[in-house]
Amino acid sequence: MKGTWYDDEAGPVVRPYAMTRGRTRPAQELDVVALILSVQDTVPVGAGFEPEHLHILESARRPISIAELAAHLDLPLGVVRVLIDDLVGAGCVVVRPAPTTAELQSRRLLEAVIDGLRAI
């Protein structure tokens, strides 16, 4: 049928901008490797949040990168960035820059020292 936006397997198709109410960019720059972490279990009632906002909160109970989150939720990266921006504004999640290579190497060194001390 011409003009139909769904098929039998997928069901109705919702365009990504419907989830973001037409917004295509977050208010702040969010790096795809930045880590997000939920600081609340639920979104504020009556704030106009979508079910996807709750899915993000559930997925971010442990630190997760924005790129990983988009893949996990099977949503476009731009949509996830806008939804995360909503949650940041509501105080539901925090965004942390991804650790630098130097920080990772420093952490690995400390972990090796701790492992060595435990082995003594």
Side-chain angles (χ1 to χ4, degrees), residues 2 8 15 25 34 39-41 49 56-57 60 69 72 95-96 115-116 119-120:
K2 189 174 183 179
D8 293 335
R15 294 204 179 263
R25 295 181 187 262
V39 292
Q40 291 183 336
D41 291 332
F49 288 116
I56 290 171
L57 284 179
L69 187 59
H72 176 71
V95 178
R96 300 284 183 238
D115 290 342
I120 294 177

Side-chain angles (χ1 to χ4, degrees), residues 9-112:
E9 288 183 27
V13 175
V14 176
R15 294 204 179 263
Y17 65 77
M19 285 183 246
T20 62
R21 293 181 293 268
R23 294 168 295 144
T24 58
R25 295 181 187 262
Q28 61 180 317
E29 185 60 37
L30 297 171
D31 191 356
V32 296
V33 294
L35 301 174
I36 67 160
L37 179 64
S38 299
V39 292
Q40 291 183 336
D41 291 332
T42 59
V43 291
V45 176
F49 288 116
E50 300 292 331
E52 291 78 13
H53 288 101
L54 187 56
H55 294 303
I56 290 171
L57 284 179
E58 291 169 359
S59 298
R61 287 190 177 139
R62 291 184 167 210
I64 186 170
S65 74
I66 293 173
E68 263 184 295
L69 187 59
H72 176 71
L73 298 175
D74 196 27
L75 290 172
L77 190 56
V79 169
V80 172
R81 282 178 169 166
V82 171
L83 297 176
I84 289 170
D85 190 55
D86 293 341
L87 292 170
V88 169
C92 297
V93 299
V94 291
V95 178
R96 300 284 183 238
T100 64
T101 305
E103 290 170 333
L104 288 174
Q105 290 172 349
S106 171
R107 182 179 174 141
R108 286 188 194 121
L109 175 62
L110 289 174
E111 287 172 352

